Amino acid sequence: SPSITFGVSYRYMLRRNRNMFGLNNELSYHSFKVSGEYTEIISPQTYSEYDLHFEYSYLRLNNMFYVRFTNSTFNIFMNAGISNALLLSGSNSKKVEDFNYEFTNVDESPITEIIKKSTQGIIGGLGVSYKKKISAELRYEITNGMSEVITIGVFPRRYYFILSYTF
């Protein structure tokens, strides 16, 4: 689900090699909400309807290696590193309605009660900056997921489009 996030970053440029390499650290707030419905049909008189919801927010710390490929007005750069996220709040729920001829059974419960307090991931991105002040970056992240229950299989892969201004 598309959402807006915010944060701060600090880049330490290594003085060798004309400031082409550096370390980039970011602290940001992220949230996401996912909902889904589906129907499992066994026969026209016997079926189940599922309604699932996930909603979580995290404080994320990204530690990345930064490489700038050009040194001009427009610069192409790349970031690659690791991410660590701390759970701030979260909820998940499922509602299952079983229909069997004239009988209906409704069950409401969490999808899982075992949620990780932190997640880790690998991130990489490619971007362009103008006069080293304004930049745009497309970033990809793979994380180890929020659930310790392997059968749930929640391993988020995210794309980020990041616009930034450097003071």
Side-chain angles (χ1 to χ4, degrees), residues 24 62-66 79-83 121-125 140 142:
N24 195 18
N62 296 334
N63 306 104
M64 299 175 288
F65 185 69
Y66 172 87
N79 279 312
I82 59 172
S83 68
I122 298 172
I123 52 177
Y140 182 69
I142 301 170

Side-chain angles (χ1 to χ4, degrees), residues 7-119:
V8 295
S9 69
Y10 177 76
R11 181 176 299 141
Y12 176 76
M13 297 303 295
L14 303 173
R15 298 293 175 209
R16 292 184 179 181
N17 300 323
R18 300 177 303 161
N19 290 332
M20 301 293 266
F21 302 99
L23 302 173
N24 195 18
N25 295 295
E26 301 173 343
L27 183 64
S28 57
Y29 171 82
H30 293 261
S31 65
F32 72 93
K33 182 189 292 189
V34 178
S35 297
E37 298 175 352
Y38 71 94
T39 302
E40 179 181 43
I41 300 173
I42 297 168
S43 71
Q45 294 82 19
T46 306
Y47 59 95
S48 297
E49 293 180 350
Y50 294 84
D51 189 13
L52 309 170
H53 298 277
F54 286 94
E55 187 171 355
Y56 290 89
S57 62
Y58 290 93
L59 185 63
R60 182 176 305 279
L61 177 65
N62 296 334
N63 306 104
M64 299 175 288
F65 185 69
Y66 172 87
V67 178
R68 186 175 60 230
F69 296 109
T70 58
N71 199 4
S72 62
T73 303
F74 284 97
N75 295 300
I76 299 170
F77 64 90
M78 180 180 77
N79 279 312
I82 59 172
S83 68
N84 295 286
L86 180 65
L87 178 67
L88 298 175
S89 66
S91 65
N92 64 71
S93 65
K94 70 176 174 181
K95 179 180 178 183
V96 181
E97 295 182 78
D98 294 318
F99 300 93
N100 189 357
Y101 295 95
E102 68 270 1
F103 300 107
T104 301
N105 183 35
V106 177
D107 178 33
E108 293 189 41
S109 62
I111 296 170
T112 181
E113 294 182 11
I114 306 170
I115 300 297
K116 291 180 184 177
K117 299 295 181 198
S118 66
T119 63

